[in-house]
Amino acid sequence: MQLKISNLSKTYSNGVKALNNISLTISTGMFGLLGPNGAGKSSLMRTIATLQEADEGAIFLSDLDVLKEKDAVRRILGYLPQEFGVYPKMSALDMLDHLAVMKGITSRGERREIIEGLLQQTNLYDVRKKKLGTYSGGMKQRFGIAQALIGDPKLIIVDEPTAGLDPTERNRFLNLLGSIGENVIVILSTHIVADVHEVCTRMAVIHKGEVLVEGAPQSAIDEINGKIWKQVIGKADLEAYQGAFHVVSSHLVAGKIEVRVFSESQPDANFSPVEADLEDVYFLKLNHSANGAGQ
Ligand code: ADP
């Protein structure tokens, strides 16, 4: 199964071009859609989830025309939107039962079996009778995955699911995503590079509605490996370094600044080589795009 997005564009009525000729091919497995806030991730996710129209382009899921055959898509879609509201007074058990009925699972026995399985998988079985309003952020997101998995979807879309989770909850959530079967397409939209690094085998970086890079995270890293150098400098020197070198990123470390620089060879004797990582890829592509260089 493959999701093929071709030349998709969308301009909102306020003139914002949220999607600008996006083309992507997404196969089964975990696909990371990485980009800063405002990049167009939610617009793309909502369009794939049949919740909004595109101006131009096409989306096909195997033979299914996603932009036209919306009901058929919805039957095989699991969606966890960015703003996921729950009925605070309902228990997870009752809410899942209700949603399963809405998804057309009419047999009570079948529903019970499915829901118990999902509650186990998302580690919410022990709190299944508690009101959703009492759930922590991480529990709510895991519940969000449980509801998205009802009906055995073939295409699962999760939009910025780890934003606002503490590190333990985030880990737990990513492990859960990783446990979803390999024969479905899972699209994880996020602005957090580590999310993609930890769970995705394929990814795309989007910015200002355009695809900047697409492929396996490791291949993108391999392309720049050997060309990233670091040095710890004083805060006052940062501006000069930004003028003199191709600075990829700068981080505070114990009150000093660690700069990472892109260069084919050692920029000067004070720089030491470092392993490139996905964050280097991400910042390089974003900087390149911000400097008007396009792809
Ligand atoms: P992301 O999910 O990557 O943060 P979005 O798809 O939400 O990006 O937004 C892309 C751009 O489109 C942003 O500039 C945003 O302000 C704008 N935008 C999103 N939704 C709407 C809308 N309904 N009407 C007008 N502009 C919108």
Short mmCIF file of all heavy atoms in Angstrom, two decimals, residues 273-295:
data_model
loop_
_atom_site.label_atom_id
_atom_site.label_comp_id
_atom_site.label_asym_id
_atom_site.label_seq_id
_atom_site.Cartn_x
_atom_site.Cartn_y
_atom_site.Cartn_z
N PRO A 273 35.91 17.62 14.90
CA PRO A 273 34.85 16.96 14.11
C PRO A 273 33.81 16.30 15.02
O PRO A 273 34.16 15.80 16.09
CB PRO A 273 35.61 15.90 13.31
CG PRO A 273 36.86 15.64 14.08
CD PRO A 273 37.19 16.90 14.83
N VAL A 274 32.55 16.29 14.60
CA VAL A 274 31.50 15.57 15.34
C VAL A 274 30.68 14.76 14.35
O VAL A 274 30.61 15.09 13.17
CB VAL A 274 30.54 16.52 16.10
CG1 VAL A 274 31.06 16.88 17.44
CG2 VAL A 274 30.16 17.74 15.28
N GLU A 275 30.04 13.72 14.88
CA GLU A 275 29.09 12.94 14.09
C GLU A 275 27.92 13.85 13.72
O GLU A 275 27.37 14.53 14.60
CB GLU A 275 28.52 11.80 14.94
CG GLU A 275 29.40 10.62 15.11
CD GLU A 275 29.31 9.67 13.92
OE1 GLU A 275 28.18 9.30 13.55
OE2 GLU A 275 30.37 9.33 13.38
N ALA A 276 27.55 13.86 12.46
CA ALA A 276 26.37 14.62 12.07
C ALA A 276 25.13 13.94 12.63
O ALA A 276 25.12 12.72 12.83
CB ALA A 276 26.28 14.69 10.55
N ASP A 277 24.10 14.71 12.93
CA ASP A 277 22.84 14.10 13.36
C ASP A 277 21.68 14.73 12.60
O ASP A 277 21.87 15.64 11.78
CB ASP A 277 22.67 14.18 14.89
CG ASP A 277 22.63 15.62 15.40
OD1 ASP A 277 22.26 16.52 14.63
OD2 ASP A 277 22.98 15.83 16.57
N LEU A 278 20.48 14.24 12.90
CA LEU A 278 19.31 14.67 12.12
C LEU A 278 19.00 16.15 12.35
O LEU A 278 18.50 16.84 11.46
CB LEU A 278 18.10 13.80 12.49
CG LEU A 278 16.91 13.86 11.53
CD1 LEU A 278 17.32 13.51 10.10
CD2 LEU A 278 15.79 12.95 12.00
N GLU A 279 19.35 16.64 13.54
CA GLU A 279 19.12 18.06 13.81
C GLU A 279 19.99 18.92 12.88
O GLU A 279 19.56 19.97 12.41
CB GLU A 279 19.42 18.36 15.27
CG GLU A 279 18.62 19.53 15.78
CD GLU A 279 18.71 19.68 17.28
OE1 GLU A 279 19.68 20.25 17.76
OE2 GLU A 279 17.77 19.21 17.94
N ASP A 280 21.22 18.46 12.61
CA ASP A 280 22.08 19.19 11.66
C ASP A 280 21.42 19.24 10.28
O ASP A 280 21.39 20.29 9.63
CB ASP A 280 23.45 18.52 11.54
CG ASP A 280 24.23 18.54 12.85
OD1 ASP A 280 24.15 19.55 13.57
OD2 ASP A 280 24.91 17.55 13.16
N VAL A 281 20.88 18.11 9.84
CA VAL A 281 20.20 18.06 8.54
C VAL A 281 19.06 19.07 8.53
O VAL A 281 18.92 19.88 7.61
CB VAL A 281 19.60 16.64 8.29
CG1 VAL A 281 18.73 16.64 7.04
CG2 VAL A 281 20.71 15.60 8.18
N TYR A 282 18.26 19.01 9.59
CA TYR A 282 17.06 19.86 9.68
C TYR A 282 17.43 21.34 9.63
O TYR A 282 16.90 22.10 8.81
CB TYR A 282 16.35 19.50 10.99
CG TYR A 282 15.08 20.26 11.25
CD1 TYR A 282 13.98 20.14 10.40
CD2 TYR A 282 14.94 21.08 12.38
CE1 TYR A 282 12.80 20.81 10.66
CE2 TYR A 282 13.77 21.75 12.65
CZ TYR A 282 12.69 21.62 11.79
OH TYR A 282 11.53 22.29 12.04
N PHE A 283 18.38 21.75 10.48
CA PHE A 283 18.73 23.18 10.51
C PHE A 283 19.40 23.62 9.21
O PHE A 283 19.15 24.73 8.74
CB PHE A 283 19.62 23.49 11.72
CG PHE A 283 18.87 23.50 13.02
CD1 PHE A 283 19.32 22.76 14.10
CD2 PHE A 283 17.70 24.24 13.16
CE1 PHE A 283 18.61 22.76 15.31
CE2 PHE A 283 16.99 24.24 14.36
CZ PHE A 283 17.45 23.51 15.43
N LEU A 284 20.22 22.76 8.64
CA LEU A 284 20.87 23.12 7.37
C LEU A 284 19.82 23.37 6.29
O LEU A 284 19.90 24.36 5.56
CB LEU A 284 21.79 21.98 6.91
CG LEU A 284 23.24 22.07 7.32
CD1 LEU A 284 23.98 20.81 6.88
CD2 LEU A 284 23.92 23.30 6.71
N LYS A 285 18.84 22.48 6.20
CA LYS A 285 17.80 22.63 5.16
C LYS A 285 16.97 23.87 5.42
O LYS A 285 16.65 24.61 4.49
CB LYS A 285 16.89 21.39 5.14
CG LYS A 285 17.58 20.14 4.69
CD LYS A 285 17.92 20.21 3.19
CE LYS A 285 18.71 18.99 2.77
NZ LYS A 285 19.22 19.10 1.40
N LEU A 286 16.61 24.11 6.68
CA LEU A 286 15.79 25.28 6.99
C LEU A 286 16.56 26.57 6.71
O LEU A 286 16.03 27.51 6.13
CB LEU A 286 15.34 25.28 8.46
CG LEU A 286 14.28 24.26 8.87
CD1 LEU A 286 13.80 24.57 10.28
CD2 LEU A 286 13.10 24.23 7.93
N ASN A 287 17.85 26.61 7.10
CA ASN A 287 18.67 27.81 6.86
C ASN A 287 18.80 28.07 5.36
O ASN A 287 18.67 29.19 4.89
CB ASN A 287 20.09 27.64 7.42
CG ASN A 287 20.09 27.55 8.93
OD1 ASN A 287 19.08 27.88 9.55
ND2 ASN A 287 21.17 27.07 9.52
N HIS A 288 19.03 26.99 4.63
CA HIS A 288 19.21 27.07 3.19
C HIS A 288 17.96 27.67 2.56
O HIS A 288 18.03 28.57 1.72
CB HIS A 288 19.40 25.64 2.68
CG HIS A 288 19.99 25.55 1.32
ND1 HIS A 288 21.19 26.11 1.02
CD2 HIS A 288 19.54 24.97 0.19
CE1 HIS A 288 21.46 25.87 -0.26
NE2 HIS A 288 20.47 25.20 -0.78
N SER A 289 16.80 27.19 3.04
CA SER A 289 15.53 27.67 2.49
C SER A 289 15.29 29.12 2.89
O SER A 289 14.86 29.94 2.09
CB SER A 289 14.42 26.75 3.00
OG SER A 289 13.20 27.41 3.01
N ALA A 290 15.63 29.46 4.16
CA ALA A 290 15.41 30.84 4.64
C ALA A 290 16.29 31.83 3.89
O ALA A 290 15.93 32.99 3.71
CB ALA A 290 15.69 30.90 6.14
N ASN A 291 17.45 31.35 3.42
CA ASN A 291 18.35 32.24 2.69
C ASN A 291 17.96 32.40 1.22
O ASN A 291 18.70 32.95 0.42
CB ASN A 291 19.80 31.73 2.76
CG ASN A 291 20.34 31.85 4.17
OD1 ASN A 291 19.85 32.68 4.94
ND2 ASN A 291 21.31 31.02 4.53
N GLY A 292 16.78 31.83 0.90
CA GLY A 292 16.25 32.04 -0.44
C GLY A 292 16.87 31.14 -1.48
O GLY A 292 16.70 31.35 -2.68
N ALA A 293 17.57 30.08 -1.00
CA ALA A 293 18.23 29.20 -1.95
C ALA A 293 17.30 28.13 -2.50
O ALA A 293 17.66 27.38 -3.38
CB ALA A 293 19.44 28.54 -1.31
N GLY A 294 16.06 28.08 -1.98
CA GLY A 294 15.12 27.04 -2.43
C GLY A 294 15.67 25.68 -2.06
O GLY A 294 16.22 25.52 -0.99
N GLN A 295 15.54 24.71 -2.96
CA GLN A 295 16.00 23.37 -2.63
C GLN A 295 17.50 23.30 -2.80
O GLN A 295 18.10 22.35 -3.03
CB GLN A 295 15.30 22.35 -3.48
CG GLN A 295 13.81 22.43 -3.25
CD GLN A 295 13.11 21.09 -3.51
OE1 GLN A 295 13.75 20.05 -3.61
NE2 GLN A 295 11.82 21.10 -3.58
#
